[in-house]
Amino acid sequence: MFSQNRERIALISVHGDPAIAIGQEEAGGQNVYVRRVGEALAEKGWHVDMFARRIDPDQEHIVQHNARCRTIRLDAGEPKFIERNELLQKLPEFIEAFLQFQEDHNITYPILHTNYWLSGYVGMELRQQQASKMIHTYHSLGAIKYRNTATIPPIAKTRLQIEQACLETADCVVSTSPQEEEHLRAHVSQKGNITIIPCGTEIERFGRVDRATARQKLGIPPQEKMVLYVGRFDPRKGIETLVKAAGRSEVREQPHLHLYIAGGSREGHKDSQECQRIKSIVEQQQLSDRTSFLGRLDRDVLALYFSAADVCVVPSHYEPFGLVAIEAMASRTPVIASAVGGLKFTVIPEETGLLAPAQDDEAFAEAIARLLSDPEWCEQLGEKGRDRVENLFSWRGVSNQLDSLYLKMLKSLKSESVREYQTIS
Ligand code: UDP
């Protein structure tokens, strides 16, 4: 099954540790992506090392996930949490630690797959020092994000420059949706190679139980109209829009309405401020007795909530891909999402769910009410959603595409080094 051609890959994800609990501040889709890509590629025979920054002195340096896949935590600055906008100055130490790791273990990674602009910077610096191919995935684009945020951080200019340099100099950029590719070409650069490979999801985990069984396991009554949000507490996620939509009469008056908000927040961190802000909007809307804050959920419990829900709402202001949408679809639950970024690729309106303009609570309310009033239609949308995920977004399919890309990169790296050797001799 394994070809001898497959070698070592470094998946670099400085701030997105793939071995950490998902759903809290700074731990979301990127962490899930890196971990699943790593494990799926290891199954194909690659040796995958996933590099992140150590953020706690109690964290292990190496977490072995299976025989060919591990997370390696490097020390860059004190091992404590640092917000991603403050991380740039720690990157030289990260690069140093990476090079030291290679030297200590007698490894030179032929492929560096970097994730998010911070790791992109690391990849570009490393490539100046060694012959490796660099593949980059953005996960979020400053050029789009800053259009949708009120406060632009001081790091913005540097981030935009690094994102442009990544596109122009990486051997290949993996864009996770056609919308992201359009954004890259329109707002970042016309130069550079882009290939589209979407994110995937665990189709074996999500959608294993039917709605009635999931509700029974969770103790949720069959008649409840269950509206679900899953994700981090971050203003860009637009939870406020969902709560305001639920407060409008067409949704509020639905019998047995209940809103479930899943995702964790950490005391003293920025996400706990956002969580408090959302709780106060819930109170203002007089929805406290019809809203449950579930905290961070592990993937198996999460799978039950996805299956149990009547609708899953993804109200993001901006979403480069949005794993939650395909997880809900894999669970046969229709999705109501903002018509932005990757959500326009994953959710087919009137077929697997509905799209509404971002931040438009009136449009979200109308969409939620439409679906909650028609359970039969919801079932049809759910089935179509499942089909779409099975056809396009399984990790197996995604990892097959990444596998081909890596093999192609490796081949060109080898022919380049042969050419170089011939020129020298
Ligand atoms: N997630 C989780 N538990 C939670 C909340 C979220 O496992 O309590 C996961 C969610 O299922 C998804 C990821 O966190 O896989 C969020 O990814 P997404 O792309 O939707 O958003 P991001 O965090 O990247 O902005």
Side-chain angles (χ1 to χ4, degrees):
M1 175 187 167
F2 302 139
S3 146
Q4 292 306 312
N5 294 332
R6 292 182 172 80
E7 295 184 17
R8 287 189 181 273
I9 314 168
L11 283 178
I12 304 179
S13 177
V14 178
H15 80 282
D17 184 330
I20 213 171
I22 310 300
Q24 283 172 337
E25 186 181 32
E26 303 288 330
Q30 181 176 327
N31 310 56
V32 172
Y33 175 90
V34 174
R35 174 77 176 264
R36 297 290 161 233
V37 163
E39 287 178 346
L41 289 163
E43 253 179 53
K44 291 196 149 297
W46 296 91
H47 282 266
V48 185
D49 286 340
M50 308 184 284
F51 289 87
R53 182 180 159 271
R54 196 153 153 267
I55 60 163
D56 190 317
D58 292 334
Q59 279 182 327
E60 292 164 285
H61 279 280
I62 296 187
V63 182
Q64 194 78 42
H65 301 292
N66 62 46
R68 277 187 301 272
C69 179
R70 56 190 178 165
T71 294
I72 296 163
R73 297 184 175 121
L74 301 177
D75 284 323
E78 241 186 283
K80 62 172 192 189
F81 174 81
I82 299 176
E83 240 221 272
R84 59 182 97 171
N85 282 344
E86 310 294 325
L87 266 180
L88 185 67
Q89 65 218 40
K90 302 292 174 207
L91 296 184
E93 275 178 78
F94 189 93
I95 292 163
E96 192 95 331
F98 182 93
L99 290 168
Q100 191 61 52
F101 182 90
Q102 287 194 131
E103 199 180 314
D104 293 347
H105 295 83
N106 201 16
I107 298 171
T108 304
Y109 293 93
I111 292 176
L112 309 170
H113 184 159
T114 55
N115 294 273
Y116 197 63
W117 69 275
L118 291 164
S119 306
Y121 173 84
V122 171
M124 289 190 290
E125 292 290 309
L126 287 172
R127 238 187 19 166
Q128 304 211 348
Q129 310 201 28
Q130 64 189 48
S132 301
K133 288 284 173 184
M134 176 178 163
I135 295 164
H136 183 69
T137 306
Y138 282 91
H139 295 278
S140 157
L141 275 179
I144 307 299
K145 182 177 171 151
Y146 298 140
R147 273 159 206 255
N148 294 288
T149 7
T151 43
I152 310 285
I155 197 72
K157 199 167 157 218
T158 312
R159 173 176 175 174
L160 294 175
Q161 283 166 352
I162 292 174
E163 287 186 340
Q164 181 178 350
C166 270
L167 176 52
E168 293 179 350
T169 63
D171 295 286
C172 185
V173 160
V174 171
S175 153
T176 54
S177 68
Q179 287 72 12
E180 190 186 14
E181 183 183 23
E182 276 165 32
H183 286 153
L184 283 165
R185 287 299 181 221
H187 304 293
V188 181
S189 178
Q190 292 292 322
K191 294 188 203 135
N193 299 319
I194 303 178
T195 187
I196 298 176
I197 303 179
C199 291
T201 193
E202 303 133 274
I203 54 170
E204 302 79 15
R205 187 197 299 271
F206 295 110
R208 270 174 61 180
V209 288
D210 61 32
R211 183 150 294 118
T213 315
R215 287 191 176 207
Q216 206 180 13
K217 290 196 173 175
L218 294 169
I220 293 173
Q223 70 278 16
E224 196 170 273
K225 301 267 186 199
M226 186 179 167
V227 177
L228 178 68
Y229 166 85
V230 175
R232 293 175 296 116
F233 283 94
D234 181 326
R236 140 165 111 77
K237 290 288 176 182
I239 312 174
E240 174 173 354
T241 307
L242 166 61
V243 176
K244 288 187 171 159
R248 297 181 74 95
S249 58
E250 55 271 54
V251 181
R252 170 191 294 285
E253 284 161 14
Q254 294 280 331
H256 311 291
L257 174 81
H258 203 98
L259 186 58
Y260 289 85
I261 299 181
S265 70
R266 290 199 289 181
E267 205 57 37
H269 285 245
K270 249 176 47 193
D271 61 347
S272 79
Q273 281 169 29
E274 176 64 1
C275 182
Q276 285 314 319
R277 194 179 75 85
I278 297 299
K279 284 183 174 162
S280 66
I281 301 172
V282 167
E283 272 169 35
Q284 281 161 22
Q285 298 291 326
Q286 297 175 343
L287 286 169
S288 301
D289 56 341
R290 285 195 269 171
T291 304
S292 300
F293 286 88
L294 304 170
R296 197 195 71 74
L297 299 180
D298 282 337
R299 315 261 323 140
D300 287 330
V301 182
L302 192 59
L304 290 178
Y305 276 95
F306 274 129
S307 289
D310 289 295
V311 294
C312 176
V313 181
V314 187
S316 313
H317 298 177
Y318 157 55
E319 199 61 79
F321 185 81
L323 282 176
V324 164
I326 57 170
E327 291 166 354
M329 281 158 57
S331 313
R332 299 182 175 77
T333 297
V335 176
I336 298 173
S338 302
V340 294
L343 297 169
K344 290 200 284 185
F345 171 48
T346 50
V347 180
I348 307 289
E350 311 285 331
E351 247 184 63
T352 70
L354 294 171
L355 292 176
Q359 305 191 55
D360 185 339
D361 50 86
E362 191 179 343
F364 270 87
E366 199 189 306
I368 296 170
R370 259 184 89 194
L371 289 196
L372 291 185
S373 320
D374 195 343
E376 229 169 83
W377 188 38
C378 279
E379 241 170 69
Q380 291 164 11
L381 296 171
E383 285 303 329
K384 288 240 175 86
R386 173 77 198 182
D387 288 348
R388 182 161 174 77
V389 173
E390 280 180 12
N391 290 334
L392 283 178
F393 306 121
S394 75
W395 275 126
R396 190 176 296 271
V398 169
S399 66
N400 283 342
Q401 294 178 63
L402 284 171
D403 180 59
S404 307
L405 174 65
Y406 291 161
L407 285 173
K408 196 171 104 188
M409 290 289 149
L410 216 49
K411 201 167 151 202
S412 95
L413 186 68
K414 285 188 177 150
S415 56
E416 275 164 28
S417 58
V418 169
R419 270 203 305 278
E420 205 169 296
Y421 175 76
Q422 284 168 343
T423 320
I424 295 166
S425 53

